[in-house]
């Protein structure tokens, strides 16, 4: 495979990316990375328990997209969506608390890591069903169109999700109605334990999605400036009423399907190459070498972020589990509707 | 039709036979029309719902002409997209009314219905909720064959988070659908095809019936028939026949299965001490099982006879009329069953 | 729209179509047409009752394909599939009897017009669920691949069925596994009461299906020689192990969605043009004028077919409905498994 | 574990504790291995079922290596295609074993399951049939959240034409799966995750258990617990506790829900006169409703107490352990319920 991120060193691709924006993106990527590192450390040490879907390697995608989103724009993501949630601005402490099943979590501990949502920050749905979020995203985008706002909706999903029916139905309908929706396919090369070439003969997902009559492009999802430009174009088009875009963001899953899962089916050389070129470190180098950002500035951000993450974990750990009487709350608005 | 107000704590208005007469389909249409006029956030989506068709069962007739194609939207043949789109718009406060042409086709969309619509409020700890209504036509008795004749309310009842309404009269259709549209949780609204063009009084203007309130469609003392939808008129016909034989039958129309009007069921059966649960859905592991188990449990030792169930036989629905009429309950078999109890 | 069938007059397109084959195709098309005419007459006269899905205008597609199929090849179709069933060779009397709900029908009257099947003639499934047949067809085709036979499977579906998830999942899997399957999309321009352009922005279905990595072409489904050639190529490729093909067969539904249904939403000029150019009459003229087949030969076939159809209807009418004890037969192989 | 042969008319072989010990997952693996060795028409398809993964729950471990990737086939993430492909191949005599990774994901494939697999034999008047097996893992009790913890056997039971097997021991898993694979109708085979790695004796070599034959997993005289799958060990633990209190509990493991061993249920409860139906599925409109209604009807007047039901509470399954343990039945609540009867 061509290594994602490799093209990043060409400065001309970063024309519209201001230093401020570049640094904000770095902060987001760093927050994602250090939250993951901290969670994995905690899991390893038995400090807390959860099924954790690692996002290492995919940080650049939501960080670059997030730079173009407003708080009231909508986002839908999947179980492997912690990076998306962070980029959309879910409060870190509430997010970690939810992943740990605590009452201060975004869902009072009743949803868990696969069901993070926080309408306040525009993160509307996290689903555990492959493809399940896409039709819902069409509806979120339609609401903006019907209400005449300039909000956009971003729906994140994996490469493997392109094989399932819901994805197809959503793409056709979004294109038909020209809703302001960006399909962000995070192509990390694997669907659970199956490689791309083992589940489709499609040469290019972007080409396939053009078939619905919508704009579609393939972008290096580990290349921040490229991701930034592609997101700007797609989101700009959607805001302007130009309809949906499919973005195939090439990246690589730097881990197994979940924390602790085997990687034996992954090509070791490919994995090593991707790890050597991992986006956070890569981007950090680029900021210093190409953009002339001071190492100290970045180090300062890293220190702040580490402290924020530590604080979030501490507050999650200090928080209580949901009380028993929460069991049948939130089934219906009206508890008396619950059958006895 | 006798109507008692006993089972109507929430001030369920009485039938006024002076009300204008309409079909059940017109009742549905009126509820949507009024809801759309009252609230710009209400919109409709589904297959062939725009004029000139106005829905293959005519439920949305005239509405695209009146409210425009922005608010009455034809869709591709894609039920997952139809239901999912409704869910998404509802998450931000709109009140979509989606149509799934036939209940059998829910089978392609159950992930959106059961794993998303039903669960999002809970999975988000109440930060989001899904105020959608999904209307669907229910076949049966019309020679549509095995894939177009199923009553699948049992699937819906079994999934926590879904409300289920099944009107049997034009009046109930209007009042229940209006309430479903403005309910803050997902509602499955079942329109029985064989009743869609039956006529009855429908209150003019804004009219709401509370969800979870059964109605005694005929009062009686000897046996209670607990039923809904298609089987209500069948049960009423059986009751009429049996009245001539000196058997007094109460026909309780549940109208909604979730919420379930437990009190109305138990109050009636406690009085009659005999119950038959009748529905068009397959009897085995069907909706009647829950109701029969409930009655048998709560009224243990107070019943004069076992609770009988009468549902569709255990087989896919056959095409030939001669077999299809044997597959579903109907007035004569209902009457026969009641006779064995009384 | 360009009128289907219009291109048929060019003789060079019929090089491989022998006179015998051309006449057999005529017989099939005539059988389809006269069965439909007879059923509609019977329905109009109240002679029998059924929901009838008219196939007028789509006769050429299965007739031309059928010429390349062997009895042990498999076919799957939809409620609007009487023409496909006839072309695959379902006994006419059993088919009509099934549509009338009689015990001599293919399903003893328990399936009805939407569920015609006869494994003997290779017609494996007729489904009433849009898109439902396609995944099943993949399995039929896979069985031939696994068993190493040269059988092919043909799955028929409408243009509207391309919007639903099952169709997408089947296409991706068929291409991945290179099964001997021909996707025959009978594009009659309408999905129930909705026109093509009102349910998708896809410019070309054939282009869209190429996205799965399979061969895909658009063909004039009302042009017998063209259909014949396209089917030959697709079926030949499948038999040779070359994998699936998507054939978009352009045609026109010369009627409402069902017998007696409204056509008010259809463009009257378009409809009139298509009717003027309807494939059976059109093909008959071509056989005489371009292929020099004697009118008397065709008239003779028409007379024979009319008699066959009349006999099939007569036997269906004479047949009894299924007896009551059939109600719970065929639920399971073993009746004792049926819950009481 | 006491085993009576009373409920095993079809010569269900006894447990021989000398049998080699394996996990339930190994029992599943052995059944498929033997079936594939015996019949070249048996093949497997599903997500990640090939080695080195061998299925995310390891059920097919080693089989792609042994039988090749023609007969053990990884698929895209496309459950409609997985089930539909199995159906198609089965129509011409093959015996596919499809895997749907988790039961919750049946929601995307119910059209193939309920409208096609279940109905094709009937709709074709017996000219075709669908000898497929669909294996699926069932979550619950593992903090997988609302979309990965559902037991949906009630959906399957309600659709005429589907058989449903739910083993609770490695031995039953092997014997039932083998029978499902060679059964001529569609079988849903549920593998309870929390039991997959429990160990027990498994007969070596070819081993079949008849479908539709319940097994008394523990004999008793005072109360009958009717249960299956996950809840069997919970019920046995409760029975053990109660034995110490002088309450003799019979634990009847249904093993299959369709066919339903009606005789075994009624025979046991007729003797004990008290019954509790326990399952992991949602209690409301759940599988236990059918069984409770059946017992209450058939043994009317012969019961010493109402039939109790214990299923999952009416709510999506919560994530936090502290709540999830309250959502499902378990030994202590089962024991408490039994005490109220005895
Ligand atoms: C409908 C459905 N089928 C199967 C699964 C099990 N599953 C969970 S994640 C996953 C892989 C998804 O791959 P991809 O879409 O590429 O996303 P990634 O995990 O790589 O981010 C599968 C098969 C599921 N959650 N939903
Ligand atoms: C899943 C599903 N949704 C809706 C329907 C109702 N329906 C029956 S036919 C039809 C139109 C199908 O159009 P197309 O695929 O073009 O086939 P045609 O009828 O034109 O042959 C619809 C929507 C159905 N049968 N199945
Ligand atoms: Mg992936
Ligand atoms: Mg069409």
């Amino acid at each position: 495979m061509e290594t994602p991120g490799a093209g990043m060193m060409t400065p001309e691709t970063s024309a519209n990316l201001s230093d401020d924006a570049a640094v904000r993106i770095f902060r987001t990527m760093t927050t994602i990375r250090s939250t993951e590192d901290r969670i994995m450390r905690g899991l390893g040490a038995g400090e807390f328990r959860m099924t954790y879907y690692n996002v290492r390697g995919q940080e650049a995608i939501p960080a670059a997209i997030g730079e173009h989103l407003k708080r009231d724009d909508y986002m839908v993501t999947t179980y492997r969506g912690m990076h998306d949630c962070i980029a959309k601005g879910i409060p870190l402490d509430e997010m970690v608390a939810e992943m740990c099943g605590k009452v201060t979590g975004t869902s009072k501990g009743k949803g868990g890591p696969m069901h993070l949502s926080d309408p306040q920050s525009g993160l509307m749905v996290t689903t555990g069903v492959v493809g399940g979020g896409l039709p819902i995203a069409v509806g979120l985008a339609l609401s903006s169109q019907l209400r005449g706002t300039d909000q956009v909706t971003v729906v994140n999903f994996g490469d493997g999700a392109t094989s399932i029916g819901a994805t197809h139905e959503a793409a056709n309908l979004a294109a038909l109605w020209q809703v302001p929706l960006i399909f962000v396919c995070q192509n990390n090369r694997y669907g659970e334990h199956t490689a791309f070439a083992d589940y489709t003969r499609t040469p290019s997902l972007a080409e396939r999605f053009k078939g619905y009559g919508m704009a579609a492009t393939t972008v290096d999802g580990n290349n921040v400036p490229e991701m930034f430009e592609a997101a700007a174009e797609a989101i700009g088009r959607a805001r302007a009423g130009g309809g949906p875009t499919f973005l195939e963001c090439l990246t690589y899953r730097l881990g197994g399907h979940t924390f602790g899962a085997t990687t034996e089916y992954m090509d070791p050389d490919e994995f090593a190459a991707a790890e050597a070129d991992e986006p956070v470190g890569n981007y950090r180098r680029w900021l210093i070498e190409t953009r002339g950002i001071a190492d100290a500035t970045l180090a300062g951000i890293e220190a702040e972020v580490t402290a924020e993450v530590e604080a979030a974990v501490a507050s999650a750990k200090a928080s209580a589990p949901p009380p028993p009487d929460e069991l049948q709350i939130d089934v219906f608005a009206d508890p008396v509707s619950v059958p006895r | 039709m006798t109507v008692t107000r006993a089972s109507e704590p929430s001030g369920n208005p009485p039938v006024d036979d002076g009300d204008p007469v309409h079909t059940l389909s017109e009742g549905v249409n009126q509820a949507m029309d009024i809801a759309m006029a009252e609230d710009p956030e209400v919109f409709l989506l589904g297959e062939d719902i725009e004029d000139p068709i106005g829905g293959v069962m005519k439920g949305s007739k005239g509405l695209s002409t009146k409210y425009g194609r922005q608010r009455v939207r034809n869709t591709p043949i894609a039920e997952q997209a139809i239901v999912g789109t409704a869910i998404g718009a509802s998450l931000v406060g709109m009140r979509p009314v989606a149509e799934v042409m036939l209940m059998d086709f829910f089978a392609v969309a159950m992930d959106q219905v059961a794993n998303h619509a039903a669960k999002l409020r809970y999975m988000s700890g109440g930060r989001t909720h899904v105020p959608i209504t999904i209307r669907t036509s229910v076949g049966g008795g019309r020679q549509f064959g095995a894939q177009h004749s199923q009553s699948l309310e049992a699937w819906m009842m079994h999934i926590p988070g879904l409300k289920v309404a099944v009107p049997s009269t034009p009046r109930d259709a209007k009042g229940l659908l209006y309430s479903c549209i403005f309910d803050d949780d997902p509602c499955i609204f079942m329109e029985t095809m064989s009743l869609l063009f039956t006529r009855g009084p429908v209150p003019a203007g804004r009219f709401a019936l509370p969800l979870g309130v059964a109605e005694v469609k005929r009062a009686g003392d000897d046996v209670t028939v607990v039923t809904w939808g298609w089987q209500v008129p069948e049960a009423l016909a059986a009751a009429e026949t049996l009245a001539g034989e000196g058997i007094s039958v109460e026909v309780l129309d549940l109208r909604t299965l979730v919420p379930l009007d437990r009190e109305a069921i138990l109050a009636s059966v406690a009085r009659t001490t005999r119950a038959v649960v009748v529905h068009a859905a397959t009897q085995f592991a069907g909706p009647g099982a829950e109701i029969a188990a409930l009655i048998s449990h709560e009224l243990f030792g107070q019943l004069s006879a076992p609770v009988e169930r009468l549902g569709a036989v255990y087989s896919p629905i056959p095409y030939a009329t001669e077999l299809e009429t044997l597959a579903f309950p109907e007035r004569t078999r209902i009457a026969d069953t009641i006779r064995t109890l009384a």
Side-chain angles (χ1 to χ4, degrees), chain A, chain B:
Chain A
M1 69 170 213
E2 85 278 21
T3 320
M8 188 149 67
M9 297 318 155
T10 57
E12 58 277 18
T13 60
S14 67
N16 308 323
L17 180 62
S18 71
D19 282 358
D20 286 358
V23 169
R24 279 195 301 270
I25 290 173
F26 176 78
R27 175 182 287 272
T28 303
M29 289 172 70
T30 303
T31 306
I32 294 165
R33 175 63 59 86
S34 89
T35 307
E36 168 152 312
D37 290 344
R38 181 62 185 85
I39 287 173
M40 286 194 169
R41 215 166 53 248
L43 289 171
E47 195 178 348
F48 39 71
R49 273 184 39 248
M50 73 181 71
T51 303
Y52 180 69
Y53 291 87
N54 39 279
V55 298
R56 182 180 180 83
Q58 304 181 205
E59 297 88 349
I61 299 166
I65 291 171
E67 191 57 32
H68 300 288
L69 296 177
K70 304 193 223 136
R71 192 167 172 76
D72 70 350
D73 288 324
Y74 302 128
M75 183 173 280
V76 173
T77 187
T78 74
Y79 52 88
R80 194 184 310 285
M82 189 187 76
H83 56 327
D84 302 318
C85 293
I86 289 172
K88 192 66 178 76
I90 284 195
L92 208 54
D93 53 350
E94 293 185 20
M95 184 192 79
V96 176
E98 187 58 36
M99 295 170 86
C100 296
K102 301 303 186 73
V103 71
T104 56
T106 45
S107 306
K108 298 184 266 181
K110 303 200 297 189
M114 280 203 271
H115 305 301
L116 299 169
S117 56
D118 178 41
Q120 290 262 319
S121 40
L123 200 298
M124 301 308 298
V125 175
T126 296
T127 185
V129 180
V130 168
L134 284 86
I136 295 173
V138 174
L140 287 162
L142 177 65
S143 74
S144 311
Q145 188 184 61
L146 288 173
R147 289 167 168 176
T149 71
D150 73 346
Q151 293 161 288
V152 302
T153 298
V154 170
V155 59
N156 299 283
F157 52 100
D159 50 290
T162 58
S163 301
I164 201 160
T167 300
H168 160 76
E169 294 188 14
N172 186 57
L173 188 59
L176 177 69
W177 286 350
Q178 291 286 288
V179 293
L181 176 59
I182 297 88
F183 290 92
V184 176
C185 178
Q186 301 191 16
N187 183 351
N188 61 10
R189 316 310 170 92
Y190 289 90
E192 198 138 0
H193 312 287
T194 303
F196 185 84
D198 296 331
Y199 64 73
T200 189
R201 267 176 65 100
T202 293
S204 154
L205 288 173
E207 284 311 309
R208 195 168 94 192
F209 277 76
K210 280 184 189 149
Y212 296 108
M214 74 168 97
T217 56
T218 303
V219 42
D220 179 344
N222 288 11
N223 180 321
V224 172
E226 194 178 324
M227 222 16 256
F228 180 84
E229 293 299 335
E233 187 185 334
I235 292 169
R237 176 167 39 239
R239 283 202 205 286
T245 300
F246 175 85
L247 290 182
E248 178 186 12
C249 307
L250 297 175
T251 181
Y252 194 84
R253 193 187 71 200
L254 289 172
H257 177 57
T258 54
F259 172 76
T262 178
T263 58
E264 59 190 311
Y265 52 89
M266 297 170 83
D267 176 336
D269 304 339
E270 185 183 273
F271 194 113
E275 181 58 57
D277 197 48
E278 66 83 13
V280 179
N282 209 12
Y283 182 55
R284 190 184 200 285
R285 277 189 301 281
W286 182 80
L287 285 174
I288 295 169
E289 295 162 13
T290 311
R291 297 298 296 258
I293 310 283
D295 191 326
T297 312
L298 305 180
I301 291 169
E302 288 161 335
E304 285 167 34
V305 164
T306 309
E308 282 163 29
V309 171
E310 206 42 66
V313 170
S315 92
K317 287 174 65 181
S319 167
D325 61 16
E326 272 290 338
L327 183 56
Q328 289 184 293
I329 303 296
D330 303 320
V331 176
F332 292 118
D334 172 2
V336 308
S337 293
V338 173
R340 268 164 297 140
Chain B
M1 184 169 80
T2 327
V3 177
T4 68
R5 230 127 10 275
S7 70
E8 299 177 343
S10 0
N12 189 347
V15 171
D16 169 354
D17 290 316
D19 283 333
V21 168
H22 293 284
T23 64
L24 197 153
S25 177
E26 287 161 354
V28 165
N29 188 276
Q30 286 183 21
M32 294 194 288
D33 189 353
I34 293 167
M36 292 184 81
E38 286 180 355
D39 184 348
E41 298 280 8
V42 175
F43 72 97
L44 319 182
L45 72 167
E47 295 156 16
D48 302 306
I49 67 171
E50 293 177 5
D51 293 331
I53 298 302
V56 294
M57 300 312 282
K58 305 288 161 234
S60 49
K61 191 89 186 160
L63 299 180
S64 68
T65 303
K66 184 170 178 183
Y67 297 101
R69 287 179 155 65
Q70 283 298 305
R71 294 182 64 194
V72 180
R73 312 178 67 92
N74 272 0
T75 65
I77 304 167
E79 284 76 10
Q80 293 192 73
I82 292 168
V83 176
T85 298
I87 293 171
S90 79
L91 287 173
V92 291
M94 299 194 79
R95 296 193 170 277
V97 181
E99 177 173 322
V100 170
M101 201 183 275
L102 261 182
M103 189 157 214
D104 310 70
F105 310 148
F106 266 94
V108 298
M110 283 310 287
D111 175 60
Q112 288 299 322
V113 174
N115 289 334
H116 293 90
K119 295 176 171 46
L120 283 170
R121 177 188 287 274
Y122 194 87
M123 294 194 304
S124 68
R127 286 191 183 185
T128 62
H129 63 281
V130 182
I132 65 171
T133 299
I134 310 177
R135 295 174 46 234
T136 192
S137 296
V138 186
R142 303 164 63 86
Q143 283 205 273
F144 284 171
Q147 292 177 334
H148 289 61
S149 304
Q150 298 171 90
S151 295
L152 295 173
E153 58 267 38
W155 278 9
M156 309 300 170
M157 292 169 70
H158 188 52
I159 301 299
L162 299 174
K163 295 185 178 181
V164 184
V166 198
S168 69
T169 68
R171 173 178 178 273
D172 291 354
K174 179 176 181 176
L176 293 173
L177 179 54
Y178 183 89
S179 296
C180 287
I181 294 172
F182 290 105
D183 191 88
D184 282 335
D185 289 296
C187 297
I188 311 296
F189 187 83
M190 297 169 57
E191 302 171 16
T192 305
M193 275 198 202
S194 53
L195 300 181
L196 271 173
F197 300 101
T198 57
R199 311 176 70 76
V202 177
R206 186 180 184 288
F207 172 62
L209 285 173
L211 305 180
V213 180
E215 181 175 66
V216 175
K217 285 287 200 290
R218 177 186 178 113
D221 304 319
D222 302 334
V223 179
T224 301
V225 176
V226 181
T227 187
W228 56 90
W230 184 13
Q231 294 300 312
V232 171
E234 294 302 316
L236 288 169
E240 191 57 38
T241 306
L242 293 167
E245 301 172 21
I247 303 174
S248 168
V249 176
E250 177 146 303
V251 177
L252 182 66
D253 179 354
L254 293 182
R255 301 199 294 193
T256 65
L257 296 164
V258 180
L260 182 66
D261 193 344
R262 202 182 141 99
E263 292 64 29
I265 296 167
L266 297 176
S268 175
V269 181
R271 200 163 43 73
T272 61
T273 73
R274 296 177 183 84
V276 185
V277 187
V278 183
H279 55 66
T282 299
Q283 181 171 317
F284 186 75
E290 175 60 39
I291 294 158
L294 169 71
I295 296 170
S296 303
H297 185 273
E298 297 302 305
L299 299 178
F300 183 77
Q302 304 171 48
L303 299 173
S304 309
V307 179
E308 295 295 336
R309 286 182 288 157
L310 212 52
V313 298
Y314 188 93
S315 83
I317 303 304
Y319 171 69
T321 325
E322 295 78 1
L323 292 185
E324 190 180 16
T325 52
L326 301 177
F328 291 109
E330 45 68 61
R331 52 198 62 190
T332 61
R333 268 195 304 288
I334 296 171
D336 293 343
T337 306
I338 295 172
R339 287 193 194 90
T340 65
L341 295 182

